[in-house]
Amino acid sequence: ACVGKELGLTSTEICFAPIERGLLRYERTGEGPVVVFLHGFAVDRRSWADQITAFAERHMVIAYDLRGFGESTMPNGPYRPHEDMAALLDHLDIAQASLVGSSMGARVAFDFAIEYPERTGVVVSADGVPSGWVFPRLPGARRGPDPALFARTLNSLSEERQEWLKAIVADYSRWHRKNDDPRVELEPPAINRLGEVMAPTLVVVGANDIARFHEAADMLATGVAHGRKVVIENAGHLPNLEAPEAFNKLVLDFLDQNRQHYELSR
């Protein structure tokens, strides 16, 4: 079922899209070149609230809950997140889109850009990593956000926004802590195929994020065909939340500068 809501002068459509063995909950706002927002681990599409309003003035904005998060279907068999996104775009009859991915969402964006270069406008990674990137974990450590990193992010926000972000994380089902994720990775993974990403790529990283994500940003910016790295000051792992004005200007400018690389797709 679909519902509608008013976002300023713009109406938003909130619906489910069919995918293999499930449904994706998405919202679509605005008109113009398509931009898809892909959230990080333990949050959902609501984490892009600051972007949806700003970008919808000039773009068609699509934000959705990845499988296993938010209101989308929990994994119930093998799946490929970038193929889920392709199915969503097919459902909406969208030929091409630019992709903005935060952390885990950037992994989906790079996989999609490799598998569907003709459907990819530009790629923006916000403190993201490619598939195949391995995080060292202590034996028995639970999968999910690092508590210290999450605490640092919260400390950078106002008290009201802290409560808002904590509410989003509290809604996360913790499915991945209780189940083996049947996600099927791109093979070979993107970490070995970055040179195949031909889309103009903006690699954003918060100045206060941990060294491991800065290393990933350097690798991404130099590994893709047309990469540019920008560090956002006074931000950590979620610069779109911690410094939304700076993040929005940076990404909107990048989209404008690279309009010749994508088309108006509906």
Side-chain angles (χ1 to χ4, degrees), residues 32-88:
V34 180
V35 182
V36 177
F37 287 93
L38 300 139
H39 64 79
F41 195 88
V43 293
D44 55 47
R45 70 182 192 275
R46 291 175 291 173
S47 64
W48 296 110
D50 292 319
Q51 284 65 56
I52 291 172
T53 304
F55 282 68
E57 295 178 4
R58 288 186 276 167
H59 299 83
M60 177 186 291
V61 174
I62 297 168
Y64 72 96
D65 297 333
L66 276 69
R67 191 190 302 240
F69 300 91
E71 298 178 81
S72 291
T73 301
M74 296 299 116
N76 58 1
Y79 73 102
R80 294 173 172 83
H82 65 281
E83 297 292 356
D84 285 351
M85 181 165 62
L88 171 61

Side-chain angles (χ1 to χ4, degrees), residues 108-200:
V108 182
F110 284 115
D111 285 357
F112 185 91
I114 290 169
E115 288 289 278
Y116 297 97
E118 74 287 350
R119 303 191 71 175
T120 306
V122 306
V123 176
V124 179
S125 167
D127 294 70
V129 297
S131 58
W133 180 271
V134 177
F135 286 97
R137 291 186 184 277
L138 295 174
R142 297 188 303 177
R143 186 174 176 221
D146 177 81
L149 187 60
F150 182 59
R152 289 169 64 180
T153 299
L154 286 176
N155 288 336
S156 71
L157 302 175
S158 68
E159 185 175 343
E160 180 182 3
R161 287 173 66 81
Q162 284 184 27
E163 295 305 313
W164 173 72
L165 180 57
K166 285 193 286 188
I168 293 176
V169 174
D171 285 342
Y172 168 52
S173 68
R174 274 65 176 172
W175 185 94
H176 303 83
R177 292 179 176 172
K178 306 168 188 173
N179 301 273
D180 291 327
D181 192 353
R183 183 185 71 227
V184 178
E185 297 283 8
L186 188 68
E187 185 58 42
I191 195 170
N192 298 326
R193 302 170 64 182
L194 291 177
E196 297 178 39
V197 178
M198 303 306 295

